[in-house]
């Protein structure tokens, strides 16, 4: 794992989920990583060397919010 500023250089075999888990301790932040890296969304597994932009995520504020149900589970 190599982080340069707000960029993360992927190792082979990593995914958005694994990067989110490593950096933010939760896979749920993979969506935020994908939103700021749309050019990489066609890759399900990185081969290595891809540069992923890392957004600023306030994980503490997110933990204090009341969980909501996913839209497809409501009703």
């Amino acid at each position: 794992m190599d982080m340069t500023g707000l960029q993360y250089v992927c190792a082979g075999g990593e995914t958005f989920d694994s990067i989110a888990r490593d950096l933010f301790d939760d896979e749920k932040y993979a969506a935020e990583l994908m939103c700021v890296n749309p050019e990489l969304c066609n890759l399900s597994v990185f081969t290595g060397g891809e540069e992923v932009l890392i957004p600023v995520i306030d994980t503490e504020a997110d933990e204090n919010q009341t969980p909501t149900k996913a839209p497809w589970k409501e009703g």
Side-chain angles (χ1 to χ4, degrees):
M1 170 171 41
D2 178 26
M3 291 191 62
T4 308
L6 295 176
Q7 287 189 338
Y8 176 88
V9 179
C10 298
E14 288 189 298
T15 64
F16 282 113
D17 290 341
S18 68
I19 294 169
R21 186 180 56 246
D22 289 346
L23 299 181
F24 303 111
D25 294 324
D26 200 323
E27 294 174 345
K28 72 180 180 181
Y29 297 110
E32 281 84 350
L33 291 173
M34 294 174 79
C35 284
V36 297
N37 295 282
E39 71 283 358
L40 298 173
C41 287
N42 62 330
L43 302 173
S44 55
V45 179
F46 297 114
T47 58
E50 295 89 352
E51 294 182 2
V52 175
L53 295 174
I54 306 300
V56 175
I57 299 173
D58 186 359
T59 57
E60 288 184 24
D62 194 30
E63 290 173 3
N64 294 330
Q65 292 181 356
T66 304
T68 58
K69 287 186 178 180
W72 59 88
K73 293 185 178 181
E74 292 181 4

